[in-house]
Every structure is written in structure tokens, then in C-alpha cells.
């Protein structure tokens, strides 16, 4: 397998794919038509050397993925908001105001998502672990208990949302996204039949990233301790960028390496993807292919790959 550099996410009835500074969102409308929107994306932090530094790039990538992901979801949802009527035509001024309102709502949603994630996956496990302090447990025992609670909450969250009916189609598109990337990274032509044969699991998936975040946080919080309860909360919040940075470097290494150790580290995240992806149907695969072809010359990529490996 060869690293292609493309990545994406599932959206409502579609797939978003990003390659370097370009991304495309492909959506299948209710009438069966596939709409593809391609745009340039320079990033909200610019392109300075600082944002590409190890650890720093992980935090930057995480934030930009949230922003781009939310924007792509909003775009895909717009096709289904007014199914029973025509969309109202807006004047130039109304369109500008609507765009500002949409950006503000999207920014607020991203901030709220981060706050809730910190509260549920960082602070709640710490608060629950204080129960063991009242039982006289050692600091090490309490830290381990906190880590176990954090893993349990994360797994419960993943299992819980995977059982929601409305999420299943999104997970099918998630599977289509992975299968398209795996198809070309294994040197096959990007066709529906080849994509169907490809795996729906991928080392660079966001699910695996989140699993690394949980595990890295467990390890750091066991070894980094302070006495004051207030400072413990502060440390957990302050360490979030470092945790995100380390997790990104791990998943980046996993995506570029076929080593046994890296493969072993990737196993738990890959297993979780069996919950967050589903096998897509042919129509969904076609949408995934359309999003890839909008941003990536897979024919040239596969041709060069075959030449390097001596197939031609």
C-alpha cells in the first residue's frame, strides 16, 4: 500500500474528500443526481512553517478538520432542508447576511462541540474518579481508574451512536470514503467493482485518531500529577493540545508505515471502525468516486504506483 495523502469524511448523503489545498463535497440529491462542489482551502491558520511543525500540526489539523467538516456537513444538509418547496431566492445583501449568520452558527457549533468533548471525555472521568479517592485509593490507582472510566465512556459513546438509525447511512458513506481511498492506495482502478472489494477500514481514520487521543491522555494523566484538585482540572485542559499533537503524529506514522509495531498500535482503532463504518451500496460508492475524482488524479497515481512496483 502507498500513501496517497487524500482524506475525507462522510456527510449527509455524500462524501467530502480533501487533497492538499483543495476539497470537494459530492452529494446525491433525492432525485438521484450527484452534485459535486469543489473549492480551494487555504486553512484558517495560513501556510507558515510554524503550523507544519511536529505536534503543532496535529492541533492545527484537528481544528481545521472540525471547521471544514462542519462546513461540508452544512453544505450537504442544505440540499434536504426544503424538500417540499423551492428555495427562496436571496438578494445580494440577503445572501451576504445569510453567509455571515451561517459562519457565526458554524463557529459556535465548533466551539460548543469542543467544550462538550472536553467536559465529557476529559473532566467527567476525572470527577468520577474522585469517588475512589474517598475510598482511600493511592494516586496511581485513582489515575488508572480515571483512565479506565475515560475509555469506557468513549466506547459507550461510539457504540451508542452506531445504533442510531439516522447515523447508519452516514456510516455507510464513511465506509465508501475509506473503500475509495484503499482502492487507489492498493493500486487498483477506481471503479465500483474494485471499490466494493476494498476494505472499509483505514489507518488514518478519525475514529483511530480519537482512540489515540483517549489512550495518550490516559498515559499522560497517570504520569503528570499535581496536588490541588483545581490544578488537576487545569492541567487536563492545558494538556489537550499536546495530546492532540501526539495523537496526530501517531496516526500520521500509522498511515505511512507497514511496520508490525505500528500495525499493532493501529489494531484497536481499526476494530472501532467496524462500528463507525458500514458497507456502502453501489450508489454511495459512485458518490465517493465522484468526490475523489474532483480533487485527485487517481489514474496518474495508480499508473506511477504500478511502474514503481514493476507491474508495467
Amino acid at each position: 500500500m502507498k500513501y496517497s495523502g487524500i482524506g475525507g469524511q462522510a456527510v449527509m448523503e455524500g462524501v467530502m474528500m480533501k487533497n492538499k489545498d483543495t476539497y470537494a463535497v459530492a452529494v446525491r440529491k433525492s432525485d438521484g443526481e450527484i452534485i459535486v462542489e469543489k473549492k480551494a482551502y487555504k486553512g484558517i491558520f495560513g501556510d507558515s512553517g510554524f503550523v507544519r511543525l511536529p505536534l503543532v500540526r496535529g492541533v492545527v489539523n484537528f481544528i481545521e478538520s472540525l471547521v471544514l467538516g462542519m462546513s461540508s456537513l452544512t453544505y450537504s444538509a442544505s440540499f434536504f432542508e426544503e424538500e417540499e418547496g423551492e428555495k427562496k431566492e436571496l438578494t445580494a445583501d440577503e445572501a451576504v447576511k445569510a453567509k455571515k449568520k451561517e459562519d457565526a452558527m458554524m463557529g459556535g457549533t465548533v466551539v460548543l462541540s469542543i467544550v462538550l468533548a472536553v467536559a465529557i471525555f476529559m473532566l467527567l472521568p476525572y470527577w468520577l474518579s474522585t469517588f475512589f479517592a474517598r475510598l482511600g485509593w493511592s494516586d496511581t490507582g485513582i489515575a488508572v481508574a480515571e483512565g479506565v472510566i475515560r475509555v469506557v465512556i468513549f466506547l459507550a459513546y461510539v457504540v451508542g451512536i452506531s445504533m442510531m438509525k439516522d447515523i447508519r447511512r452516514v456510516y455507510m458513506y464513511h465506509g465508501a470514503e475509506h473503500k475509495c481511498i484503499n482502492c487507489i492506495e492498493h493500486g487498483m482502478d477506481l471503479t465500483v467493482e474494485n471499490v466494493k472489494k476494498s476494505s472499509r477500514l483505514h489507518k488514518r481514520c478519525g475514529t483511530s485518531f480519537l482512540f489515540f487521543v483517549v489512550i495518550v491522555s490516559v498515559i499522560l494523566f497517570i504520569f503528570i500529577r499535581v496536588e490541588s484538585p483545581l490544578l488537576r482540572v487545569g492541567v487536563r485542559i492545558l494538556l489537550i493540545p499536546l495530546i492532540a499533537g501526539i495523537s496526530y503524529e501517531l496516526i500520521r506514522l500509522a498511515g505511512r508505515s507497514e511496520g508490525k509495531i505500528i500495525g499493532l498500535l493501529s489494531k484497536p482503532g481499526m476494530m472501532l471502525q467496524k462500528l463507525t463504518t458500514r458497507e456502502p451500496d453501489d450508489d454511495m460508492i459512485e458518490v465517493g468516486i465522484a468526490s475523489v475524482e474532483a480533487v485527485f488524479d487517481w489514474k496518474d497515481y495508480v499508473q506511477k504506483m504500478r511502474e514503481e512496483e514493476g507491474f508495467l
Side-chain angles (χ1 to χ4, degrees):
M1 188 177 82
K2 183 181 177 183
Y3 176 74
S4 65
I6 62 172
Q9 72 168 60
V11 296
M12 186 177 293
E13 294 300 322
V15 175
M16 182 275 286
M17 286 287 184
K18 182 176 180 295
N19 179 37
K20 298 178 181 177
D21 58 357
T22 305
Y23 77 97
V25 184
V27 178
R28 188 179 288 278
K29 296 171 60 179
S30 299
D31 61 6
E33 180 186 6
I34 298 176
I35 300 295
V36 181
E37 181 182 67
K38 178 181 177 181
K39 286 187 176 182
Y41 185 73
K42 299 298 183 183
I44 58 179
F45 293 97
D47 192 33
S48 67
F50 176 75
V51 300
R52 294 194 297 270
L53 292 173
L55 297 183
V56 175
R57 62 190 173 193
V59 180
V60 171
N61 184 272
F62 174 66
I63 295 173
E64 292 192 340
S65 294
L66 280 177
V67 173
L68 182 57
M70 191 61 64
S71 175
S72 299
L73 278 169
T74 301
Y75 170 76
S76 66
S78 68
F79 289 97
F80 309 99
E81 288 174 348
E82 300 183 30
E83 287 288 335
E84 298 179 358
E86 294 292 326
K87 259 191 170 180
K88 179 184 175 183
E89 291 294 329
L90 300 177
T91 65
D93 287 342
E94 288 175 334
V96 170
K97 291 179 180 179
K99 183 65 168 61
K100 289 181 178 179
K101 182 179 179 181
E102 180 182 305
D103 289 345
M105 290 179 63
M106 186 173 65
T109 302
V110 170
V111 171
L112 180 61
S113 299
I114 294 174
V115 171
L116 287 175
V118 171
I120 295 171
F121 298 112
M122 292 294 176
L123 302 186
L124 178 60
Y126 166 70
W127 179 74
L128 292 175
S129 71
T130 59
F131 169 78
F132 298 98
R134 293 194 289 271
L135 296 178
W137 284 31
S138 67
D139 289 345
T140 300
I142 295 169
V144 171
E146 180 186 349
V148 172
I149 293 170
R150 181 169 290 108
V151 171
V152 169
I153 290 175
F154 175 69
L155 293 177
Y157 168 79
V158 172
V159 171
I161 62 173
S162 70
M163 298 174 67
M164 296 172 62
K165 184 178 179 180
D166 292 342
I167 297 295
R168 289 175 188 166
R169 284 189 66 82
V170 176
Y171 281 178
M172 291 172 76
Y173 277 106
H174 191 193
E177 175 223 330
H178 283 189
K179 289 169 82 75
C180 285
I181 296 174
N182 275 322
C183 179
I184 58 176
E185 289 189 338
H186 283 83
M188 295 188 291
D189 290 344
L190 192 62
T191 64
V192 172
E193 287 304 314
N194 284 340
V195 171
K196 287 171 70 173
K197 293 185 292 186
S198 300
S199 173
R200 74 176 197 262
L201 311 180
H202 199 282
K203 289 182 180 178
R204 298 197 309 273
C205 176
T207 303
S208 294
F209 170 77
L210 291 177
F211 182 79
F212 276 131
V213 166
V214 172
I215 297 304
V216 170
S217 67
V218 169
I219 295 171
L220 286 182
F221 295 157
I222 286 176
F223 290 100
I224 299 177
R225 304 177 192 172
V226 291
E227 292 299 320
S228 167
L230 185 61
L231 283 178
R232 289 175 188 169
V233 172
V235 164
R236 277 151 181 74
I237 295 174
L238 291 174
L239 284 178
I240 289 174
L242 177 61
I243 292 168
I246 294 173
S247 301
Y248 177 80
E249 297 303 323
L250 288 172
I251 198 170
R252 188 171 184 269
L253 179 61
R256 296 169 180 264
S257 173
E258 293 296 319
K260 291 183 179 180
I261 295 178
I262 293 298
L264 187 62
L265 290 174
S266 300
K267 281 284 185 184
M270 299 280 279
M271 291 174 64
L272 277 177
Q273 288 178 44
K274 292 182 178 181
L275 293 174
T276 61
T277 62
R278 293 285 188 271
E279 287 295 333
D281 59 31
D282 290 3
D283 288 346
M284 293 174 174
I285 291 173
E286 288 175 355
V287 174
I289 291 174
S291 63
V292 172
E293 291 184 329
V295 298
F296 189 75
D297 185 356
W298 65 264
K299 293 181 180 179
D300 180 66
Y301 173 86
V302 169
Q303 176 78 7
K304 290 179 179 177
M305 185 175 176
R306 290 172 179 171
E307 290 174 354
E308 291 174 4
E309 296 184 2
F311 293 137
L312 295 176

